[in-house]
Amino acid sequence: MEINQLENKVKNTIKEYQLCSKKDKIIVAISGGKDSTTALYLLKKFGYKVEALIINLMIGKWSKESLRNVKAFCKKHKIKLHIINMRKEFGLSLCHIRSNIQTKEKLNNCLICGVIKRWLLNKKTRELKATKLVTGHNLDDEAETLLMNTIKGNLKMSLTLGPKTGIVKDKKFVERIKPLYFLTNKEIKAYSKQMKFPIHYAACPCSITSLRRDVRKLIKNLEKEEPNAKMNIVENFLKILPRLKRLYKSQKELKYCKICQEPSRNEICKRCQLLKILKQ
Ligand code: AMP
Ligand code: ZN
């Protein structure tokens, strides 16, 4: 895909799904990977008010390199960067938190990491008085997650998917948007290489869950028969998503966690449930 074509595709996604406007103060959650770096670059290029936010997860060399790259990128493009330090926030690095929890409960790496990241990103973005939180999720991520949720029989989990997340609006919950929603892994990789962004292409060393790996393989195989498989999975889902959201909206209200007061669907949020296991 040509550079212009890719950029127009992102512009169209923003427009069609009304992801953000020039009035928004936008925070891009940047990991140092190709997706979030591309999202940040494009929003800045399109003239949006953007700042970047990175959580230093403190996963050894990998985190150090990501942080160095992100700092260099933001400096070059004159983007304000906010850094969250895991040790400052939780007193422990993510690796420590994870391995400790895993000695007590069988939870996978990405689940623990995801819960902690989402909690921190929402809280910090709100504290920065931003109105939108951008993540680098792409078409591959979305198709995989949709299939994973379907395989696990958990339709409700997919309610938070789509280019714009959130079923319920809440003053403590910053809307998350995904401008790269219709771009594939391959397209973003080619673009970021062409643009010579300072990024490392290796996956997170904690690796992905085995189900995601299997689903990725499955989709790759399916694409031999049906090259549009990923797009079809996602587009079909988007057709039924508004109805699903209406169906579940009244069933479960967003509350505030009794421990941390952050928005949650349960009495105690997932982050605080994890910390409880940690302290056991
Ligand atoms: P992942 O869950 O690792 O696939 O990441 C999904 C999205 O979350 C990325 O595209 C980023 O926008 C964001 N993200 C992941 N890791 C970090 C991090 N360490 N700091 C800030 N944002 C992150
Ligand atoms: Zn909580």
Side-chain angles (χ1 to χ4, degrees):
M1 188 187 279
E2 298 268 322
I3 285 185
N4 274 349
Q5 250 179 318
L6 182 141
E7 295 184 352
N8 283 335
K9 210 166 172 185
V10 176
K11 265 188 201 162
N12 286 339
T13 305
I14 295 174
K15 203 169 146 196
E16 190 178 340
Y17 289 88
Q18 300 177 331
L19 298 189
C20 51
S21 79
K22 298 278 160 78
K23 282 187 193 147
D24 278 309
K25 174 175 172 180
I26 301 170
I27 293 285
V28 178
I30 186 164
S31 62
K34 66 179 193 322
D35 304 303
S36 47
T37 305
T38 299
L40 178 59
Y41 174 81
L42 288 177
L43 288 176
K44 171 84 180 170
K45 182 172 178 182
F46 298 158
Y48 290 97
K49 268 189 271 170
V50 282
E51 294 181 5
L53 175 61
I54 182 169
I55 307 170
N56 183 357
L57 298 167
M58 313 217 144
I59 313 177
K61 224 175 95 185
W62 194 80
S63 290
K64 270 191 197 142
E65 199 183 319
S66 303
L67 187 62
R68 199 174 46 235
N69 284 340
V70 167
K71 277 184 179 168
F73 182 84
C74 289
K75 194 171 173 199
K76 182 171 176 193
H77 296 282
K78 299 188 175 55
I79 296 165
K80 188 164 179 184
L81 174 65
H82 305 271
I83 302 170
I84 304 179
N85 187 315
M86 264 312 278
R87 270 207 203 100
K88 245 191 222 159
E89 297 290 333
F90 285 81
L92 292 166
S93 73
L94 184 72
C95 295
H96 277 96
I97 295 178
R98 223 179 26 221
S99 51
N100 187 309
I101 290 173
Q102 284 167 334
T103 60
K104 294 159 189 161
E105 282 214 18
K106 204 171 158 270
L107 297 173
N108 78 52
N109 280 358
C110 299
L111 183 137
I112 300 174
C113 189
V115 165
I116 291 176
K117 273 191 220 163
R118 275 194 299 276
W119 185 90
L120 271 175
L121 289 172
N122 182 61
K123 187 164 177 280
K124 290 289 161 182
T125 307
R126 189 183 68 235
E127 285 168 5
L128 289 166
K129 299 197 167 28
T131 47
K132 296 282 155 78
L133 172 64
V134 169
T135 60
H137 289 102
N138 63 35
L139 190 72
D140 288 60
D141 299 327
E142 192 83 350
E144 287 163 14
T145 309
L146 271 170
L147 269 191
M148 285 165 68
N149 291 346
T150 308
I151 289 164
K152 285 192 279 190
N154 204 338
L155 181 65
K156 271 191 196 169
M157 292 239 299
S158 296
L159 285 174
T160 56
L161 297 176
K164 214 177 190 178
T165 55
I167 321 169
V168 191
K169 296 223 183 300
D170 185 275
K171 62 179 188 312
K172 281 189 133 182
F173 186 75
V174 185
E175 193 167 56
R176 283 199 298 268
I177 57 170
K178 304 170 187 168
L180 308 189
Y181 196 81
F182 292 106
L183 294 180
T184 63
N185 246 332
K186 209 171 151 191
E187 287 163 347
I188 302 169
K189 192 169 177 182
Y191 179 81
S192 55
K193 283 199 164 165
Q194 223 172 331
M195 301 302 286
K196 298 192 170 52
F197 292 149
I199 36 192
H200 55 73
Y201 289 89
C204 163
C206 311
S207 108
I208 54 174
T209 59
S210 55
L211 179 59
R212 186 171 289 273
R213 209 174 302 140
D214 290 346
V215 164
R216 192 171 289 178
K217 239 188 256 168
L218 175 72
I219 294 178
K220 212 171 176 184
N221 272 331
L222 293 174
E223 280 178 325
K224 288 179 199 152
E225 286 290 324
E226 176 49 69
N228 251 342
K230 277 192 296 250
M231 190 63 96
N232 290 345
I233 293 169
V234 169
E235 282 188 333
N236 275 316
F237 169 71
L238 289 179
K239 279 183 201 151
I240 57 164
L241 184 60
R243 260 183 288 167
L244 281 181
K245 283 189 177 181
R246 275 199 299 277
L247 185 66
Y248 286 106
K249 197 174 176 175
S250 53
Q251 290 191 2
K252 213 153 195 197
E253 276 175 33
L254 210 58
K255 310 173 189 166
Y256 297 115
C257 168
K258 279 189 170 160
I259 300 175
C260 68
Q261 315 307 326
E262 287 298 305
S264 165
R265 298 198 185 287
N266 302 299
E267 296 291 313
I268 297 179
C269 77
K270 285 185 185 154
R271 172 260 190 191
C272 290
Q273 286 176 21
L274 285 179
L275 291 191
K276 261 188 158 178
I277 302 174
L278 189 71
K279 284 179 195 147
Q280 270 166 17

